[in-house]
Amino acid sequence: MAQQIADRRDQDYVLHEMLNVAQFSETEKYGDFNKKTIDMVLSEARKFAVNEILPTQKTGDEEGVKLENGQVKVPPSFHKPYKLFCENEWVAMADAPEVGGQGLPHSVSLACGELFTGANCAFLMYPGLTHGCGNIIASLGSDKQKELYLKKLYTGEWGGTMCLTEANAGSDVGALESVATPNDDGTYNIVGNKIFISGGDSDMVPNVIHPVLARIEGSPAGTRGISLFIVPKLWVNDDGSFGEDNDVVVTGVEHKMGIHGNATCSIAFGGKGKCRGTLIGEKNKGMKAMFLMMNEARQGVALQGHGFATTSYMNAVNYAKERIQSPNLLSMLDAEPKGVPIIQHPDVRRNLLIMKSYVEGMRSLLYYMGFCFDMVSTAEDEAVRDKYNGLIEIVTPVAKSYGTDKGFEVCSLGIQIYGGYGFIEEYPQAQLLRDCKITSIYEGTNGIQAMDLLGRKLGMKKGKPMMDLMGEIQAAIALAKEAGLEDMAAKVEAALNKVGECAMAIGGAAMSEKLLDAFGSATLFQECCGDLIMAWMHLWRAAVAQPKIEKAKKKDKAFYEGQVVTAKFFIEHMLPIGLGKMDSVKGLTGSIMEMPEDAFIG
């Protein structure tokens, strides 16, 4: 039977042959997770994703969510898999068993997450945001807050959200108008309205916990005066029992282009003056606290973009192997040429190879980020932990932006492979494209990711994370040369040097009178970094595969040869386009800011 979501052989290749994640079983933290156990966990995740979650993808899209008497009703098909998802402890896969998790290595949890996201992202957003809310409390919460909320969230018994956005404060969070007023008992009265809150309510859980950004009366303006509060839908008493309704009201659910199965809510806090919350973390340090959740969310959104792409790719490959249309070009002059599977046609195969290269390159990058988290949590040497923390920081904006932009491109090509059928909602490809689009917008638009990369990450710690990233790429180049892939290695090395030149040029401009011109090219620079990282991942893949081809069994031989050919395709066919973009970044056009505003219309 054809695979319906992520390619299992490729998942295994990245986990075991590229990253050797079973090495973490030699550490105390992950001692229970040898290769056999990892494979078993991944098999169970795949089985659950295919049997329980995937059937809800289309039904959830068609049924959507409803708001009835202030209560959100999720698609009925979501209830059973959500209950099983929680019972099987998938919500907090990488967290400790004592708080409801499985204790998995992060790299393995990402592989499982790819399966769940690819099966139905709208469904997975409910437990995903719940886990992010739990992480805020685990990192910054008081002992009492952890006691009341943490296990309830990590087990999925209660839901969780992230409440930043307001109608007059979208990406400019510092302009928010929500207010917190201190009470005598140490709580705060919360008054404000939030919009675009994913998973803002649900009839799958009895309570939803909202981390809410608000300004304490008298605090400074802008982001310097924002604090973070835990605001439950139903008040939670000190003994863990439910108290009164907490004056948290869903005032509407958005009618969206995609992810119809997830409730995107407008929420009024304190409309009757009876909403209470408790401060989490320090006063006026809410943005710092929220970025803990935001970084996880951005990495999660990268996984979402990839999940849509990998499912669209799998659908497209299966369809192209089965759809018979037109003869092979080499038999066009035969007396009676017969139609062949469309995968034999050069342009279809080119599109499939573009899809394959982005999907497999992003899979490698995302699992590598999980590997970095595992290094941080197991390394005894502080310098090693700092290195991998820095790599996570520098790669996160690129993974979020590139993964979602290219994920959308892959979904578009997935429709193209189906032809007219791809445009029809009866087939799966159109929904994947619709659902994927939001990923380049939320948790910080991809333009904001570019500003983060240029404005914060590039110069972080005097440029050490960027230098460490370049060192990791150099290591793959050396490995490829050892494997006899000198030509590909040379091309990637040239791209690496060129990105270094771009970084110097745009970084210098950002600290000069050309600041606006620099940020005008920030998105293009970010995309250049993504192109380089994809080339790195494919070169690494090919360097691992090349020495194994000669002695491989027939099925593995085709797989390993495919790794080398995919790398060749990306480095020879796709990377040169990236080199042109790098020239543009180095040229640092002034035309963007020179353009008069009035000239955009008429």
Side-chain angles (χ1 to χ4, degrees):
M1 180 179 175
Q3 295 184 81
Q4 296 170 281
I5 47 179
D7 179 7
R8 175 60 190 266
R9 179 64 182 90
D10 198 67
Q11 285 190 302
D12 290 341
Y13 180 69
V14 179
L15 288 174
H16 298 308
E17 299 182 62
M18 285 182 69
L19 299 174
N20 185 26
V21 296
Q23 67 182 283
F24 294 113
S25 65
E26 298 173 8
T27 67
E28 182 179 352
K29 183 169 184 176
Y30 299 125
D32 293 335
F33 294 98
N34 57 22
K35 183 179 183 300
K36 182 178 180 180
T37 304
I38 290 169
D39 290 345
M40 181 182 69
V41 169
L42 204 57
S43 293
E44 289 301 311
R46 177 174 292 272
K47 187 187 305 180
F48 187 87
V50 171
N51 295 339
E52 301 294 341
I53 303 178
L54 188 60
T56 70
Q57 187 180 85
K58 187 170 180 60
T59 58
D61 182 61
E62 293 173 342
E63 294 163 352
V65 299
K66 297 178 175 65
L67 180 61
E68 298 177 357
N69 300 317
Q71 171 67 60
V72 168
K73 307 287 187 182
V74 304
S77 58
F78 281 17
H79 283 262
K80 179 191 171 189
Y82 183 81
K83 182 174 182 291
L84 294 173
F85 192 87
C86 296
E87 288 176 355
N88 292 330
E89 299 178 338
W90 292 117
V91 177
M93 290 178 275
D95 296 288
E98 52 266 28
V99 291
Q102 294 188 42
L104 291 177
H106 279 83
S107 45
V108 180
S109 74
L110 281 169
C112 296
E114 176 187 4
L115 296 165
F116 300 144
T117 303
N120 187 356
C121 178
F123 167 85
L124 192 67
M125 287 172 70
Y126 291 105
L129 286 158
T130 296
H131 180 258
C133 177
N135 273 0
I136 283 274
I137 294 171
S139 300
L140 298 172
S142 66
D143 290 343
K144 190 63 181 180
Q145 287 170 328
K146 292 175 184 177
E147 176 191 336
L148 291 177
Y149 301 116
L150 191 55
K151 196 163 186 177
K152 296 289 188 182
L153 291 165
Y154 277 173
T155 59
E157 184 177 342
W158 294 350
T161 69
M162 180 168 61
C163 293
L164 287 77
T165 308
E166 299 183 8
N168 295 319
S171 299
D172 184 9
V173 179
L176 63 77
E177 297 172 353
S178 295
V179 176
T181 307
N183 295 318
D184 292 339
D185 63 358
T187 65
Y188 289 78
N189 273 0
I190 307 295
V191 178
N193 296 280
K194 301 290 183 177
I195 63 170
F196 299 161
I197 307 305
S198 299
D201 194 27
S202 160
D203 59 346
M204 297 186 292
V205 292
N207 203 8
V208 179
I209 311 305
H210 302 285
V212 177
L213 285 180
R215 194 183 316 280
I216 299 172
E217 288 184 333
S219 290
T223 56
R224 294 184 302 113
I226 293 175
S227 298
L228 183 64
F229 301 87
I230 295 298
V231 183
K233 176 183 176 181
L234 298 177
W235 187 254
V236 182
N237 296 321
D238 283 349
D239 62 0
S241 63
F242 286 143
E244 68 277 11
D245 182 288
N246 198 32
D247 196 11
V248 177
V249 178
V250 176
T251 57
V253 292
E254 303 295 343
H255 298 277
K256 310 185 296 292
M257 173 181 173
I259 55 169
H260 294 158
N262 194 266
T264 305
C265 300
S266 300
I267 305 178
F269 294 91
K272 300 176 183 177
K274 297 181 178 180
C275 179
R276 290 186 291 162
T278 56
L279 180 70
I280 183 166
E282 301 176 56
K283 290 180 181 180
N284 302 332
K285 301 292 184 183
M287 284 304 296
K288 181 180 179 182
M290 190 55 78
F291 264 107
L292 286 173
M293 189 171 183
M294 184 67 80
N295 279 333
E296 179 188 6
R298 287 175 175 174
Q299 292 148 14
V301 172
L303 188 65
Q304 289 177 2
H306 172 67
F308 292 125
T310 188
T311 301
S312 183
Y313 168 63
M314 299 299 285
N315 291 340
V317 170
N318 293 333
Y319 183 83
K321 288 181 176 180
E322 296 170 359
R323 174 67 166 161
I324 307 297
Q325 190 158 25
S326 302
N328 188 299
L329 286 176
L330 297 178
S331 61
M332 288 286 285
L333 300 180
D334 291 356
E336 296 183 6
K338 295 181 179 180
V340 296
I342 61 173
I343 197 171
Q344 294 187 22
H345 300 317
D347 191 61
V348 172
R349 190 169 293 208
R350 179 187 66 87
N351 283 338
L352 289 172
L353 199 43
I354 292 171
M355 297 173 79
K356 175 181 166 67
S357 64
Y358 283 136
V359 164
E360 294 181 356
M362 277 306 301
R363 177 176 294 125
S364 297
L365 174 59
L366 290 167
Y367 291 13
Y368 173 77
M369 290 179 71
F371 174 87
C372 290
F373 276 105
D374 292 331
M375 290 298 294
V376 170
S377 63
T378 59
E380 296 179 0
D381 188 333
E382 185 177 355
V384 173
R385 294 195 298 272
D386 285 346
K387 172 189 172 181
Y388 285 98
N389 259 324
L391 287 168
I392 293 167
E393 290 283 355
I394 194 77
V395 168
T396 291
V398 181
K400 193 278 182 185
S401 60
Y402 198 87
T404 56
D405 283 341
K406 300 308 177 185
F408 187 77
E409 183 178 330
V410 168
C411 289
S412 179
L413 289 171
I415 289 177
Q416 198 72 20
I417 297 295
Y418 274 63
Y421 292 111
F423 196 65
I424 296 171
E425 292 288 349
E426 180 182 347
Y427 291 82
Q429 302 298 72
Q431 181 191 340
L432 292 169
L433 182 82
R434 288 189 287 103
D435 286 354
C436 187
K437 182 55 206 168
I438 187 60
T439 60
S440 62
I441 299 171
Y442 62 12
E443 311 310 345
T445 66
N446 288 355
I448 289 175
Q449 305 304 313
M451 293 173 69
D452 180 44
L453 178 64
L454 174 58
R456 292 181 63 244
K457 303 298 176 63
L458 193 59
M460 179 181 285
K461 297 182 179 178
K462 299 181 179 180
K464 186 177 185 304
M466 186 66 177
M467 294 303 296
D468 284 338
L469 175 61
M470 297 177 83
E472 292 284 287
I473 298 172
Q474 284 285 9
I477 291 169
L479 187 66
K481 289 177 179 178
E482 291 176 10
L485 303 173
E486 291 88 352
D487 186 56
M488 282 195 279
K491 287 180 169 64
V492 175
E493 190 165 27
L496 173 63
N497 292 334
K498 204 163 190 178
V499 167
E501 294 168 6
C502 289
M504 292 293 289
I506 197 169
M511 294 185 289
S512 73
E513 71 281 357
K514 294 185 177 181
L515 180 145
L516 294 179
D517 293 335
F519 279 93
S521 293
T523 291
L524 196 58
F525 172 66
Q526 183 170 252
E527 192 167 336
C528 293
C529 291
D531 291 336
L532 172 64
I533 288 172
M534 285 299 98
W536 163 36
M537 288 297 157
H538 281 297
L539 186 66
W540 186 359
R541 282 171 158 266
V544 172
Q546 178 65 33
K548 300 182 179 184
I549 292 174
E550 186 176 347
K551 296 182 180 179
K553 295 178 182 179
K554 183 178 180 181
K555 189 174 182 180
D556 276 341
K557 185 175 183 180
F559 176 83
Y560 291 135
E561 287 176 341
Q563 296 306 308
V564 176
V565 173
T566 304
K568 181 180 180 184
F569 170 80
F570 190 87
I571 292 167
E572 292 183 354
H573 186 77
M574 305 295 288
L575 187 58
I577 301 171
L579 295 175
K581 289 182 283 190
M582 293 173 201
D583 286 336
S584 175
V585 172
K586 286 175 65 180
L588 205 70
T589 179
S591 60
I592 296 169
M593 300 313 300
E594 289 169 6
M595 183 69 173
E597 287 184 29
D598 291 343
F600 279 102
I601 298 178

